[in-house]
Amino acid sequence: MTELVAEFALVVEGRELGGDVSRGASAARVYKQLTKQRSDNATSGVLFGAEGAQQRHDGKWWQSESDTWDLLARLYEQRQQRRDVAMDDNMDASTDDDATLSDFVRAQDLLERDGQLAEYVEVRRWLEDTAREFQPVETRKGYLFYTRRSIRTQDTADSNAMSDNTQLVTDIDPDASSRQRRDIAIEDHEYTTSLLRTLFEYVRRGRMSDAMALCVESDEPWRAASMKGGLFWRDPQLEDAESTDRVGGNINRNLWKHACAALAHDTGNDSYERALYAALSGRVDEVLTVCVTWNDFVWAHVNAVIEMRMDHGLRGACVYEQAPATSFAHVQSRRTCATDMAQVFDIVESLDGCVQNEARDPLRRLQRALATNAFAEYVEEFAQALSPETDVRMVRVVAHASLCVRQSGAELPEPAVSAVLEAYVDRLARDHDELVAAYVAQMPTERQTHVYAQFVQMLNVSRDHRMQLLQRAERHGLDTHAVCRAATLAGVQPDDLLDS
């Protein structure tokens, strides 16, 4: 922990970033790497017993903190870029009402125009990248291998052998089981169940290409085709010559989504198959049935919000007439979907059990504030709740997060930020007094002198050490003469300061 505190201070001083901390996202990425290293160290060679339990607990904290820095870096870099673009007088005109553009171009334009939607997409990517690990099913060549073998056996076996397999399908095609209302071999059923779970887990993690590749490699290419329908339609004749050289995507994407919703709605399908197509179509009903963690539930709702807003944003002028989807009216979602990020977190926090407990975790609350762009309100609440019992780790995280957000150009309540920084300085003064000046320098000028003078007043150190601290303060731009005067007035012996 001591080493980490010093490494964080190097970033604040700018030395870890080559002196360039103009964008808070750069500092956040360094914090992410530093805490990720702690997480990796804590989870490698895990011990047993109480010591092992503490080691796993520490590893979970460091991983969650690393994820928090990752989210901050992603979102505030994007917000900084939007502010830069908004200041550019030469912004391209919107293509919102241009009916001669492909769906792909219109979707890209929508993300450029709707900054909030673009943030939601980035939050979804973050939730996908930080999802828990899972073990994918192995690739198996030969579609319905055991069912196929049983059919061959039926053709050559005696009547007794045949009677054992009368409930098996007699055809080998994807629709045989539902068409004949018969089963496939138990071994094939088990593999199909594992395959469908793996496909959902891949989609849940944004690994669509891996999901489709698994289908093809397992001799079930039609599953890949059914998932590929979500790609936006593109046409080189309606786009820039360098964008694409061939027609691609789905010109009837809306119809495809309704078909996916129908598959998800069918109670006769496997639960993970229903969740898979629900996720692809932007439904939450069936996805929630296979969710386990806070991360899973938030992803399910954010995914639904994105699809809803994309559909709404792309509705209207179009170069082609879309196929009707009126026959799918019966598969409407039973749940009222969230319409924004704040509602997503409200819904998840209202759940019972472990998910609600996880939502109350301090880092999860900070992640919510970052995702909903409510960090300013969060800092004020955190500053008001500060006490000697406040977890020093959260004081460190919020103090550095405040500096990152402020460096990215966002406005924060200065009294609250100063209060958090002062709380962190108070903790540094006990074991890392050489780092205090770097953080006091981040406060408003009128607070710097008072806080550093108070810090010097409380010290019980040698004159040489006091001189080193004043030299550090001078290097960080503090007015050391004003500090000395204030400390003297507060009761420090003049010789101890003025001689220094």
Side-chain angles (χ1 to χ4, degrees), residues 8-21:
F8 269 50
L10 287 178
V11 180
V12 172
E13 293 174 359
R15 283 186 276 168
E16 192 73 21
L17 300 173
D20 179 17
V21 289

Side-chain angles (χ1 to χ4, degrees), residues 444-459:
T445 305
E446 60 273 13
R447 291 294 301 163
Q448 293 177 3
T449 300
H450 171 75
V451 173
Y452 207 75
Q454 189 178 46
F455 158 67
V456 171
Q457 178 192 359
M458 295 173 59
L459 286 176

Side-chain angles (χ1 to χ4, degrees), residues 238-282:
L238 302 176
E239 300 180 26
D240 294 337
E242 298 180 357
S243 299
T244 183
D245 58 354
R246 58 182 178 178
V247 175
N250 188 356
I251 199 169
N252 285 312
R253 186 175 186 270
N254 187 55
L255 178 61
W256 168 83
K257 288 184 65 174
H258 280 80
C260 288
L263 286 171
H265 184 74
D266 187 350
T267 57
N269 291 329
D270 177 85
S271 60
Y272 277 99
E273 184 174 25
R274 298 179 68 192
L276 168 66
Y277 288 104
L280 293 174
S281 61

Side-chain angles (χ1 to χ4, degrees), residues 17-30:
L17 300 173
D20 179 17
V21 289
S22 58
R23 291 179 181 269
S26 301
R29 287 195 183 88
V30 179

Side-chain angles (χ1 to χ4, degrees), residues 199 202-214 224 227-228 230-231 256 276 280:
L199 294 179
Y202 274 144
V203 170
R204 160 70 182 85
R205 288 156 180 77
R207 298 167 60 180
M208 181 67 75
S209 58
D210 289 334
M212 292 191 291
L214 176 62
M227 291 188 287
K228 197 174 182 180
L231 298 178
W256 168 83
L276 168 66
L280 293 174

Side-chain angles (χ1 to χ4, degrees), residues 255-436:
L255 178 61
W256 168 83
K257 288 184 65 174
H258 280 80
C260 288
L263 286 171
H265 184 74
D266 187 350
T267 57
N269 291 329
D270 177 85
S271 60
Y272 277 99
E273 184 174 25
R274 298 179 68 192
L276 168 66
Y277 288 104
L280 293 174
S281 61
R283 288 168 62 93
V284 295
D285 305 56
E286 296 78 20
V287 180
L288 296 180
T289 63
V290 298
C291 290
V292 177
T293 67
W294 175 92
N295 192 300
D296 293 335
F297 282 95
V298 174
W299 178 85
H301 287 286
V302 171
N303 180 65
V305 172
I306 291 172
E307 288 296 331
M308 178 185 65
R309 294 185 66 149
M310 288 292 289
D311 290 344
H312 179 76
L314 296 177
R315 191 177 301 153
C318 189
V319 72
Y320 59 90
E321 182 178 354
Q322 298 187 12
T326 54
S327 60
F328 294 102
H330 65 289
V331 299
Q332 297 300 315
S333 178
R334 298 184 303 275
R335 294 177 182 267
T336 302
C337 295
T339 57
D340 58 40
M341 195 65 74
Q343 287 187 13
V344 167
F345 286 102
D346 287 341
I347 291 172
V348 174
E349 289 173 6
S350 69
L351 300 175
D352 297 329
C354 297
V355 176
Q356 187 181 71
N357 293 334
E358 188 176 359
R360 294 172 178 169
D361 179 86
L363 287 174
R364 292 301 190 198
R365 290 185 177 276
L366 175 54
Q367 290 164 6
R368 169 182 175 146
L370 295 171
T372 57
N373 202 12
F375 185 73
E377 293 82 356
Y378 172 87
V379 172
E380 285 193 308
E381 293 178 4
F382 186 85
Q384 292 173 0
L386 280 170
S387 71
E389 289 74 34
T390 303
D391 190 339
V392 66
R393 297 175 302 180
M394 280 305 299
V395 176
R396 172 181 55 78
V397 171
V398 177
H400 289 86
S402 299
L403 296 179
C404 288
V405 171
R406 192 170 65 182
Q407 288 165 355
S408 71
E411 294 185 3
L412 293 177
E414 197 56 57
V417 174
S418 294
V420 175
L421 288 174
E422 289 180 31
Y424 187 57
V425 163
D426 181 61
R427 285 156 174 78
L428 286 178
R430 304 170 190 172
D431 301 305
H432 302 281
D433 56 16
E434 74 281 1
L435 304 178
V436 168

